[in-house]
Amino acid sequence: MAEFNSSLAIRNRGNQEYKKAFGSPPASNFAEVRIGHAEKALVLYLEASKVASGSGEAVEWLSAKKNLGMICMRLASFTGFQERRTRELVLYQFKESLLHLSDALYHGNEISHDFAWIDEVAFKIRECCDLALAYIQNHSEKNGCEENHGLRCTALGGLLTKSSAKQVLATAIIQSMMADQTIKAAIVADEEKKWPTSFNLACEAERPMVECEAAIKKLPVEYGLYPELTECLRDLHHSRLTYLARSESAKLREIANEMQEHMLFEHEELDMDLLWLCVDHYRASMIAASHSYEGCVSHENEAIAASNLGKLFDKVLKMYTPARVLYLHAIHLADMITHQYGGATFFKYEWYQDAKLGIEEDNTRNDAFDSARVAKQCEAVLLKIKPELDAIAAVVKSCEGRDYSAHALLLHLHAKHPPKTNKCKFDGTTLDKNVSKDVRKAVFLAYSYYHPDRPYNKSAGIEWLIMCTEIFTYLNNAYS
């Protein structure tokens, strides 16, 4: 009779009920029947823990506590239970599961229980938290309303027992989940361009992250979950600071945009004080995106601010050089994001199109300026070398027949204007004007030597380049 009422015997009866509820296959396909078996198992495990506690059986008590945590978790995550019980009762079972598993983990460490067993309990706590979060999210979707992050965080926080020093691991996990939910809400607000909301949410995420960090410091580093939680906290920290930088930069940029619109459309005359204040805000936006919050930068926001500031310099101040620098900086940042941070592209975005168009317009201006400058310079050079060009024209006209005329031209060029390359392979003095084939070949060689696109001709100065252009024309006409 004593053996029948021992903690182990009671737990074994609980295990039988557990198998009837959640075994493979279960004893029944009816949800209420399975819930009944699970509730019987819960009562038996609870009785087993009391018996073990009364008889001083520490290991047996730990096993009963683990079983209690497992049955509460399985019951709370059972679809049939979730559909037939209130949300509060489901969350209560998750809370009870965390309480029992945390007790088992805490006291298992106290008596130096087998580490593999302790690590298994730790992972069960993680599983329970994941299942609870999934239920909280699914419940809101099924009821046709997307709960805000505040309600989700409140539900998650309600899973922890107040003033319980034993729930260190559960606290670390739950607080990291709360921080994650808050940062996700900040990301959504950022995508919807609700910068103040995004900034406030990023600030709000700090509290659960501090709680999570404090709990992690109390955990044994040997836990299998320790590296995972540490890395998770580091990622959350980086995400939080990144969205602080993004929202701060966006806020300053929006202020600058409003100033610019007010300045351009509401003032009859250009307000220079307001203009430079607008410039300062764009620059502050770039700095906030690139240097603030411990190196957590937002290249996209920096690129947007750079493009907007470039447009202001370009269209309003007509300062094309700084505008070009800013446009190029914006495009460089966009290309860097595309190639280094996941392949995002910005071709369809207005700020990217503004930067591309600004550079194209600046290139057109520069090309027009260069063409006008070269044309003006060519006019002066042509006037200077006119006597030499007249001499070439006279030589060409002095002979009749294409071969004789080409021969005379080659002799003149060889004597008065030899090619600038050391690889010249024709010598006009030894060329027989009566051998048409040789003359033609020499002309084609000269044609390549005096080509204006040859690097050695381009590097010899504007005067020689223009001379080559004119000589090239004569050679081209020799056998045209």
Side-chain angles (χ1 to χ4, degrees):
M1 188 66 180
E3 290 182 1
F4 182 78
N5 291 322
S6 68
S7 175
L8 177 60
I10 297 171
R11 263 198 327 113
N12 285 335
R13 294 201 298 276
N15 290 340
Q16 292 173 7
E17 295 295 331
Y18 182 95
K19 289 178 180 179
K20 290 178 182 179
F22 304 116
S24 182
S28 173
N29 292 325
F30 293 101
E32 282 295 351
V33 174
R34 295 177 66 183
I35 292 170
H37 287 301
E39 290 174 342
K40 288 178 182 178
L42 196 156
V43 171
L44 288 168
Y45 289 143
L46 187 59
E47 184 182 349
S49 69
K50 291 178 180 178
V51 171
S53 177
S55 60
E57 300 175 81
V59 174
E60 186 59 34
W61 181 85
L62 290 175
S63 297
K65 274 291 184 180
K66 178 185 174 184
N67 290 148
L68 273 170
M70 289 294 297
I71 190 62
C72 288
M73 179 174 67
R74 289 301 301 272
L75 185 59
S77 60
F78 177 44
T79 305
F81 185 78
Q82 294 176 356
E83 292 174 347
R84 289 164 175 79
R85 300 296 186 267
T86 63
R87 181 175 186 266
E88 290 71 22
L89 187 55
V90 174
L91 292 177
Y92 173 78
Q93 290 297 338
F94 278 123
K95 181 176 181 178
E96 286 292 294
S97 174
L98 287 176
L99 181 63
H100 294 306
L101 290 171
S102 296
D103 277 349
L105 186 67
Y106 180 83
H107 292 289
N109 278 313
E110 275 194 333
I111 68 169
S112 301
H113 201 311
D114 179 63
F115 185 76
W117 185 91
I118 290 175
D119 216 32
E120 182 186 357
V121 174
F123 277 97
K124 290 300 179 183
I125 291 175
R126 174 73 200 209
E127 183 183 355
C128 183
C129 292
D130 288 338
L131 290 170
L133 176 59
Y135 169 73
I136 291 168
Q137 292 174 327
N138 291 336
H139 184 270
S140 60
E141 294 174 2
K142 287 181 180 179
N143 284 277
C145 62
E146 183 62 31
E147 288 182 331
N148 63 44
H149 85 283
L151 293 175
R152 289 195 296 272
C153 289
T154 299
L156 284 169
L159 298 175
L160 297 172
T161 302
K162 293 182 179 180
S163 304
S164 176
K166 300 176 183 179
Q167 291 189 302
V168 176
L169 178 59
T171 299
I173 297 170
I174 293 294
Q175 294 292 348
S176 71
M177 286 180 170
M178 292 168 65
D180 180 62
Q181 291 296 310
T182 306
I183 289 172
K184 284 179 178 176
I187 294 171
V188 171
D190 177 83
E191 291 173 348
E192 294 175 351
K193 302 189 183 305
K194 298 177 181 177
W195 315 120
T197 302
S198 179
F199 184 83
N200 291 336
L201 288 168
C203 291
E204 186 182 322
E206 182 179 14
R207 185 189 62 78
M209 288 173 60
V210 170
E211 296 286 342
C212 176
E213 185 176 11
I216 289 175
K217 289 179 178 179
K218 298 176 183 178
L219 293 175
V221 295
E222 295 83 7
Y223 276 9
L225 285 172
Y226 186 88
E228 177 188 333
L229 287 169
T230 304
E231 184 177 355
C232 175
L233 182 63
R234 184 166 56 248
D235 291 343
L236 288 171
H237 181 70
H238 184 273
S239 296
R240 173 179 171 272
L241 295 183
T242 296
Y243 279 90
L244 280 174
R246 284 178 63 89
S247 53
E248 180 70 14
S249 173
K251 180 183 72 173
L252 291 166
R253 189 178 71 247
E254 287 299 310
I255 293 173
N257 289 343
E258 291 176 5
M259 286 181 182
Q260 184 175 344
E261 184 175 351
H262 182 73
M263 175 182 63
L264 296 178
F265 298 106
E266 297 183 17
H267 285 206
E268 293 183 1
E269 296 183 359
L270 187 62
D271 186 338
M272 294 305 295
D273 290 335
L274 186 59
L275 173 62
W276 290 114
L277 186 61
C278 182
V279 170
D280 289 341
H281 274 76
Y282 277 132
R283 284 176 173 158
S285 176
M286 292 175 64
I287 293 170
S290 61
H291 296 300
S292 61
Y293 301 109
E294 302 179 21
C296 294
V297 300
S298 174
H299 295 304
E300 181 181 351
N301 279 39
E302 184 184 356
I304 297 171
S307 178
N308 289 358
L309 182 55
K311 190 174 182 179
L312 185 65
F313 275 112
D314 183 7
K315 304 300 182 183
V316 180
L317 292 171
K318 307 298 182 184
M319 298 173 65
Y320 303 122
T321 300
R324 182 183 183 87
V325 171
L326 288 162
Y327 284 148
L328 288 172
H329 184 57
I331 291 174
H332 169 73
L333 288 170
D335 291 343
M336 182 175 67
I337 295 169
T338 299
H339 292 101
Q340 296 184 12
Y341 299 101
T345 57
F346 304 95
F347 302 115
K348 297 180 181 179
Y349 288 78
E350 183 179 355
W351 63 267
Y352 188 88
Q353 292 296 329
D354 287 341
K356 293 287 287 185
L357 181 60
I359 291 173
E360 290 172 3
E361 291 176 347
D362 191 55
N363 288 339
T364 302
R365 278 192 299 268
N366 290 337
D367 290 343
F369 176 76
D370 289 343
S371 298
R373 183 176 60 183
V374 169
K376 187 175 181 180
Q377 195 171 5
C378 283
E379 187 178 343
V381 172
L382 284 169
L383 187 63
K384 180 180 178 181
I385 65 173
K386 187 177 184 302
E388 298 173 68
L389 295 177
D390 290 343
I392 294 174
V395 168
V396 172
K397 291 179 180 180
S398 65
C399 300
E400 295 182 2
R402 287 188 302 178
D403 291 340
Y404 287 1
S405 178
H407 180 262
L409 176 60
L410 292 172
L411 286 176
H412 183 80
L413 294 177
H414 185 269
K416 301 296 184 180
H417 310 289
K420 297 297 184 182
T421 175
N422 296 324
K423 298 179 180 180
C424 183
K425 295 182 180 180
F426 82 92
D427 184 356
T429 58
T430 62
L431 186 64
D432 188 350
K433 62 182 178 181
N434 294 311
V435 182
S436 178
K437 181 180 178 181
D438 291 345
V439 174
R440 188 183 294 268
K441 182 178 180 181
V443 169
F444 289 151
L445 283 172
Y447 183 89
S448 66
Y449 297 147
Y450 292 99
H451 199 292
D453 289 341
R454 290 287 185 181
Y456 48 77
N457 290 330
K458 286 184 174 181
S459 62
I462 186 67
E463 188 173 318
W464 175 254
L465 182 61
I466 293 173
M467 176 65 77
C468 284
T469 302
E470 298 300 318
I471 291 172
F472 184 77
T473 303
Y474 283 107
L475 291 169
N476 197 35
N477 292 335
Y479 285 98
S480 62

